[in-house]
Amino acid sequence: MWRSGPSMRVLISGNLGYIGPVMVDLFKQAGHHVTGFDTGYFEECLVPDGRRLAPPDRQILCDIRKVEPEHLDGADAVVHLAGLSNDPMGALDPGLTERINTGGTRRLANLARECGVGRFVFASSCSIYGAAADGGLLDEQAPFNPVSAYAVSKVAGEDVLRELAAPGFSPVFLRNATAFGVSPRMRFDLVLNNLMGWAWTTGEIRVLSDGTPWRPLVHIEDISRAALAAVTAPADAIHAQAFNIGRADANYQVRDIALAVGRRQPEATVSFTGETVNDPRSYRVDFTKALTKLPGFEPYWTLERGCEELCSWLSAGSLAGRDFQSRLFIRLKQLQHRMEKGELDADLQLLPPSV
Ligand SMILES: NC(=O)c1ccc[n+]([C@@H]2O[C@H](COP(=O)([O-])OP(=O)(O)OC[C@H]3O[C@@H](n4cnc5c(N)ncnc54)[C@H](O)[C@@H]3O)[C@@H](O)[C@H]2O)c1
């Protein structure tokens, strides 16, 4: 049964990743009771940055493929972040992305509906638009053109949820732009964070393409605000609907992102290596619907504020000699490391510690 009130019981899956800790803190600040659910692939990748983000009230360590009804006990809403979450990880094994992202979403959503959870917020992605044919602005009605296993899994996840939508069970799809921002589980495999990492550590802002692809951006705190708005909105405002999540001015060409980093790090030089020729991921997105029809959603973070935040994090010594391209900050490397250490099998299931 969904109830909107001052305090709701919300299960946030994937809370021990990049976006999750910031989202949990926002939900806690808004007065909600939060259960975190995560298998903990990146649990050890914690880099303290002096902030004290509130932890969940309860933490469940479990694979989404094994979620059980008791995990959802008493939940009013689910925000589903858990999954393999970018294109290179999909290249590990496309079947794996399908099993975890689509299969995991199916299992969690079916159980949520059976258990009477009224609201299911799905972290989808603008990457489902993939390569836009004419370069025009894409709204929520635009055709899908997914160009990676990851994007395909997000299209399939939305399909699963659309079929389950019913009175009393309202799924909502937040098609987030590419994220940026500072988190206790920091990532440098995302374009703005990555370019700032290059600028800071080498003095060279290395753009792997020719800089022309369009890449809409959104801060992880604004993604979290959108999820909070989607959880608390009246059902008729969001039922089985998709919202592109970003600011109105969130569409940038990669070269503009590099130049913004350069303005914040004037001593760094920008280079276009062109290693990634013909990057098929290029799309410009229309964010009007969320800005006008998702009650209470007000994004705050601009590209410039994001550059400022990243620079403050770096100048505070948060890297502390760590390589920004190490497994601490690059998801694919961390998963490969744990597989090599025998902690994860080829299906990314946790293995018991060897004695
Ligand atoms: N970061 C972005 O740019 C971005 C953009 C759009 C959408 N999203 C979506 O938002 C969500 C969160 O993104 P993120 O950047 O925080 O990702 P992340 O990879 O940092 O975190 C994902 C979390 O899910 C957990 N997880 C993965 N597989 C699991 C499984 N089988 N069982 C239980 N937990 C599992 C991981 O342990 C991790 O803590 C993802 O669904 C992602 O696709 C992210």
Side-chain angles (χ1 to χ4, degrees):
M1 162 81 64
W2 179 79
R3 70 189 153 86
S4 166
S7 179
M8 296 171 66
R9 297 180 71 85
V10 184
L11 181 135
I12 300 183
S13 75
N15 71 299
L16 299 175
Y18 173 54
I19 299 172
V22 171
M23 185 177 288
V24 168
D25 183 69
L26 190 80
F27 274 71
K28 292 284 297 165
Q29 282 184 43
H32 301 298
H33 179 282
V34 177
T35 296
F37 183 104
D38 199 302
T39 195
Y41 291 148
F42 308 101
E43 215 181 350
E44 64 188 341
C45 301
L46 202 57
V47 176
D49 63 1
R51 287 186 298 179
R52 293 213 183 97
L53 298 183
D57 299 282
R58 182 167 75 121
Q59 181 68 54
I60 299 167
L61 287 174
C62 180
D63 194 299
I64 200 73
R65 292 167 287 182
K66 296 177 180 166
V67 61
E68 294 294 343
E70 61 264 27
H71 296 139
L72 289 157
D73 200 21
D76 301 304
V78 166
V79 181
H80 181 37
L81 301 177
L84 297 185
S85 82
N86 65 8
D87 297 341
M89 282 169 55
L92 252 186
D93 168 358
L96 197 50
T97 298
E98 201 273 331
R99 290 194 293 284
I100 292 180
N101 291 14
T102 313
T105 300
R106 184 179 292 112
R107 185 177 172 100
L108 180 62
N110 270 308
L111 281 182
R113 198 173 95 152
E114 279 166 38
C115 294
V117 177
R119 186 67 51 94
F120 194 102
V121 178
F122 179 53
S124 186
S125 166
C126 287
S127 66
I128 62 178
Y129 301 125
D134 60 0
L137 273 183
L138 302 165
D139 67 14
E140 288 79 357
Q141 307 304 319
F144 301 146
N145 192 4
V147 294
S148 63
Y150 168 69
V152 166
S153 78
K154 292 294 179 188
V155 173
E158 286 197 12
D159 286 345
V160 163
L161 287 161
R162 222 172 266 113
E163 275 175 29
L164 288 174
F169 182 74
S170 296
V172 46
F173 321 121
L174 301 184
R175 295 180 186 159
N176 298 301
T178 296
F180 65 91
V182 167
S183 161
R185 284 198 183 74
M186 196 53 188
R187 304 290 187 226
F188 282 104
D189 50 8
L190 296 161
V191 61
L192 175 56
N193 295 8
N194 180 266
L195 295 180
M196 189 60 87
W198 278 112
W200 182 265
T201 53
T202 69
E204 188 191 0
I205 304 167
R206 282 168 56 91
V207 179
L208 300 183
S209 65
D210 63 0
T212 56
W214 288 91
R215 196 61 46 79
L217 299 180
V218 65
H219 192 279
I220 53 177
E221 198 177 287
D222 287 337
I223 292 179
S224 304
R225 283 172 214 264
L228 184 61
V231 160
T232 51
D236 56 4
I238 54 85
H239 184 80
Q241 290 199 45
F243 296 90
N244 296 330
I245 299 301
R247 284 170 55 96
D249 57 0
N251 289 295
Y252 299 98
Q253 281 181 292
V254 175
R255 69 172 166 234
D256 297 326
I257 302 171
L259 293 175
V261 169
R263 282 194 295 281
R264 193 59 192 71
Q265 295 282 326
E267 64 290 351
T269 54
V270 182
S271 67
F272 298 93
T273 69
E275 281 162 53
T276 322
V277 276
N278 302 328
D279 187 343
R281 299 165 304 157
S282 184
Y283 43 89
R284 294 169 62 227
V285 175
D286 186 340
F287 297 101
T288 311
K289 183 177 174 190
L291 296 170
T292 54
K293 300 212 165 99
L294 182 57
F297 174 55
E298 282 182 36
Y300 166 80
W301 289 86
T302 59
L303 175 56
E304 284 69 28
R305 285 177 181 153
C307 289
E308 198 60 46
E309 186 200 34
L310 286 163
C311 268
S312 302
W313 186 87
L314 289 161
S315 19
S318 306
L319 272 181
R322 304 172 186 109
D323 179 358
F324 83 105
Q325 298 202 84
S326 72
R327 67 184 170 84
L328 267 182
F329 306 112
I330 307 282
R331 289 171 264 222
L332 183 59
K333 286 185 182 173
Q334 168 69 1
L335 291 178
Q336 285 171 331
H337 167 80
R338 293 197 67 179
M339 283 196 269
E340 280 158 22
K341 268 183 78 186
E343 294 175 358
L344 292 172
D345 69 12
D347 196 37
L348 292 189
Q349 307 270 2
L350 279 167
L351 295 167
S354 50
V355 277

